[in-house]
Amino acid sequence: MHVIPVELGGRSYDVTIDHGLLSDFARVAEPFFKSYSAAGSTSQRAVPFVADTATKRIYGDAIEGSLQSAGFAADWFVVEPGEGAKGWAVLEKLTNWLLELGIERGDNVFALGGGVVGDLTGFACSVLKRGCGFVQIPTTLLAQVDSSVGGKTAINTGAGKNLIGAFHQPNAVLIDPETLATLPPREMGAGYAEVLKYGLLGDAEFFDWLEANGAKVIAREPEALTHAIATSIRAKARIVAEDERELSGRRALLNLGHTFGHALEAETGFSQELLHGEGVALGMVLAARYSARRGHFSMADADRAKRALENAGLRSEISELGLSCGGAKLVDHMRHDKKMAGGTLPFLLLNAIGEAFVARDVDLADVAVFLDEQLAAG
């Protein structure tokens, strides 16, 4: 078992990584649902869980059985899988459900699933009674190493992804790597892109390790998988502790590949055509190549990044997407980025593998030309 602290003063919490955690859920999680009272209490309330239909089907019985053995009961709010659940309509239903349950500010709501469930639940809890507690139980690799840690919560709107949100830290993150056994290969690859991101942005030694051991991670070999998850979370925890609300620029490094990637996601309608992690993977290749274009980075290292992603089964060329748009259209999507300020969009670029930096002097017209070249290549 690994216990990794996220040091945020009075908002600090631990990330627990333990194989088989869900089968012994009540023992591990009981400190976070004591306010619901065990069976026999005159004030007993069920422990609230938010899940999508897939995670509820796979893990619901095990969690309920563990709770029942400890004298507790569960209540469920179930959403359909996919980004469509992260919208105003579902948020309204979820907050009304929580109010009907009588959730208090000292209670915890449990988010069981991937990033969509975690983001939706976290945002609902950030606004419910001006802030109640929640616990993340991420079941995808992407959520385990990225979205479950750090307190970013949000929903999507017609104007773009994650534009309505809040910083609201969980009270705990509980990770069972065994949940990844049921993860489809495509989802596994999408999560691996975020793992590789930590090596590219700030840990050359970890990048080297992933070049040698990435296939073991993708194959879900327990030791390699746990090492990759724990190393990624430690990296994110350090950065979040230094810059919780992305004010100093340090936390912005976690967005490596995201500016390009979000534009590609927007052009494909935030659909299953391009998963978030797949967009980040393509975005990291573009960031590496654009860094080389500006003279910061070697093209040889950009090719290393490309190969590392390809070896995980990820697409690495945007020409493979078959987009009908040009670079100018992708740049238009970037103009809606929430990091845009004063007409300037910061870009995450690379000086070397393991050394990312924020560039605030990028000419979007030049980015459009660069993207036209990339769309035409391959």
Side-chain angles (χ1 to χ4, degrees), residues 77-101:
F77 183 91
V78 182
V79 301
E80 291 300 316
E83 290 286 334
K86 276 177 58 175
W88 287 112
V90 179
L91 177 70
E92 181 180 17
K93 291 177 182 177
L94 173 56
T95 51
N96 283 335
W97 180 74
L98 292 171
L99 290 170
E100 289 168 4
L101 291 180

Side-chain angles (χ1 to χ4, degrees), residues 210-366:
L210 288 168
E211 283 186 307
N213 296 278
K216 294 179 182 179
V217 177
I218 292 293
R220 293 162 246 216
E221 294 187 13
E223 186 175 347
L225 181 60
T226 302
H227 176 74
I229 293 170
T231 303
S232 299
I233 290 172
R234 288 191 184 97
K236 183 160 190 180
R238 285 193 299 270
I239 291 173
V240 169
E242 294 172 20
D243 184 18
E244 180 184 0
R245 293 178 176 264
E246 211 167 296
L247 298 176
S248 72
R250 176 67 175 158
R251 184 165 180 169
L253 297 178
L254 295 170
N255 293 320
L256 180 66
H258 285 60
T259 299
F260 287 109
H262 281 168
L264 296 170
E265 285 184 85
E267 184 59 26
T268 53
F270 296 107
S271 66
Q272 290 296 109
E273 185 177 346
L274 184 69
L275 301 180
H276 173 69
E278 294 170 335
V280 170
L282 290 166
M284 287 192 293
V285 173
L286 292 171
R289 288 176 175 170
Y290 193 68
S291 299
R293 177 187 179 91
R294 286 169 55 101
H296 303 298
F297 196 58
S298 75
M299 189 55 73
D301 280 342
D303 288 341
R304 279 183 71 192
K306 168 185 162 73
R307 286 195 300 273
L309 292 163
E310 289 175 339
N311 290 341
L314 289 155
R315 288 177 289 187
S316 61
E317 299 287 350
I318 59 173
S319 58
E320 298 176 51
L321 296 178
L323 300 178
S324 58
C325 70
K329 179 70 178 298
L330 294 175
V331 165
D332 281 343
H333 290 306
M334 293 178 185
R335 296 184 197 279
H336 294 288
D337 193 297
K338 55 187 174 292
K339 296 180 290 296
M340 194 86 172
T344 300
L345 180 61
F347 274 73
L348 274 296
L349 301 179
L350 294 161
N351 281 320
I353 287 177
E355 188 181 332
F357 70 98
V358 181
R360 303 185 186 279
D361 61 347
V362 172
D363 179 359
L364 290 179
D366 185 56

Side-chain angles (χ1 to χ4, degrees), residues 20 83 175 182 210 372:
E83 290 286 334
I175 295 175
T182 60
L210 288 168
D372 279 332

Side-chain angles (χ1 to χ4, degrees), residues 36-110:
Y36 296 106
S37 303
S41 168
T42 57
S43 61
Q44 185 187 23
R45 294 177 295 145
V47 182
F49 287 82
V50 182
D52 66 32
T53 54
T55 52
K56 169 65 164 59
R57 183 182 69 252
I58 297 170
Y59 306 111
D61 288 347
I63 287 176
E64 287 185 356
S66 181
L67 286 172
Q68 288 169 6
S69 68
F72 292 87
D75 205 345
W76 296 88
F77 183 91
V78 182
V79 301
E80 291 300 316
E83 290 286 334
K86 276 177 58 175
W88 287 112
V90 179
L91 177 70
E92 181 180 17
K93 291 177 182 177
L94 173 56
T95 51
N96 283 335
W97 180 74
L98 292 171
L99 290 170
E100 289 168 4
L101 291 180
I103 296 300
E104 300 173 357
R105 294 178 70 177
D107 294 336
N108 282 299
V109 180
F110 292 79

Side-chain angles (χ1 to χ4, degrees), residues 125-139:
C125 291
S126 77
V127 297
L128 193 80
K129 298 187 177 180
R130 296 193 177 96
C132 69
F134 78 112
V135 172
Q136 294 268 24
I137 314 170
T139 59

